[in-house]
Amino acid sequence: MNEDIGFPYDGADGDGEGAQDSFAGEALPGDGPAERVLAEDALAADALLEEELRQAAAVLDPVPEALCQIALDAYALHDLDAKIAELTFDSLVDALPVRGVTDVPRMLTFRAGPLTVDIEVTGDGLMGQVLPPGPARIEVLGGPGAARPVAVDTLGRFTSDTPPSGPFALRLRTGTEVIVTEWLRA
C-alpha cells in the first residue's frame, strides 16, 4: 500500500505503469472468490461504520424536535396538486342493514373525474378495484408513518393484508396524475 498517494495502490513501480489498479476490497473483473469475499467484507464494514456514525450523531447532535415537525409538515404538501377523490358511497351510511349478519365489510366508492375506486375494508385488510383499469400504483396512507404500497394488477384490482388502523386514505398514482381519497376511519 502506497501511503504517499492517499489511497490503497499496489503498483509494480513508482509511476504505476504495468501495475494493476485495485482499490482495497473491491473485486475487479476476473478476480477470484477471495477478492469477492474481501469486497463483501468491506461493504459490511462500511455499513457498520455508517450505523455507528448515525448513532453518534443522534446522541451528540440530535435533530431538534421542531425541525422534525417542520419536515413532516413540508412533506405533507408534496401532493398539494393531487386531485381529491370524493366519497360517493359508504356502506356505513348509504347501505341498508341486513338482519343477522355480523362483521359486515365496509364498502367505499370514491370518484375523481372518470376514475372510480371501489374498496372493501375488513378486519383482515382491504381489497378493491380501480375503474377503468390501467397502470397505477396505490399507497395506503395512515398518519405520519410510511405509506404502504399495494400492488395493482392489469384489471385494476388490489389487495392489502394489513387492515388500516385509525385514519387512512389511499394515494393513487396513474401515469399523468396523483389522486388522493378522503381520509376515513376504518
Side-chain angles (χ1 to χ4, degrees), residues 43-63:
L43 289 175
D46 288 348
L48 181 63
L49 177 62
E50 181 180 352
E51 182 57 31
E52 288 175 358
L53 290 172
R54 284 182 196 278
Q55 290 176 2
V59 171
L60 298 175
D61 190 20
V63 178

Side-chain angles (χ1 to χ4, degrees), residues 66-78:
L67 184 59
C68 288
Q69 187 59 47
I70 290 170
L72 286 172
D73 293 344
Y75 182 73
L77 298 176
H78 81 283

Side-chain angles (χ1 to χ4, degrees), residues 16-137:
E17 287 196 27
Q20 177 184 24
D21 291 345
S22 176
F23 291 97
E26 185 174 317
L28 293 175
D31 284 347
E35 286 79 11
R36 279 190 221 98
V37 169
L38 283 175
E40 291 171 3
D41 289 346
L43 289 175
D46 288 348
L48 181 63
L49 177 62
E50 181 180 352
E51 182 57 31
E52 288 175 358
L53 290 172
R54 284 182 196 278
Q55 290 176 2
V59 171
L60 298 175
D61 190 20
V63 178
E65 196 63 36
L67 184 59
C68 288
Q69 187 59 47
I70 290 170
L72 286 172
D73 293 344
Y75 182 73
L77 298 176
H78 81 283
D79 279 340
L80 196 57
D81 346 351
K83 289 184 180 177
I84 302 297
E86 179 185 358
L87 179 65
T88 58
F89 177 80
D90 184 349
S91 62
L92 290 180
V93 177
D94 302 323
L96 296 173
V98 177
R99 185 173 31 159
V101 177
T102 60
D103 198 26
V104 178
R106 185 174 183 186
M107 307 298 286
L108 303 165
T109 300
F110 295 94
R111 183 169 306 241
L115 190 77
T116 302
V117 180
D118 291 319
I119 305 169
E120 179 179 317
V121 181
T122 67
D124 297 327
L126 59 86
M127 65 178 163
Q129 185 172 17
V130 178
L131 296 170
R137 289 186 340 208

Side-chain angles (χ1 to χ4, degrees), residues 83 115 130 132-138 152 171-179:
K83 289 184 180 177
L115 190 77
V130 178
R137 289 186 340 208
I138 293 182
V152 180
R171 181 185 304 135
L172 172 72
R173 296 180 190 273
T174 63
T176 58
E177 59 189 353
V178 178
I179 298 170

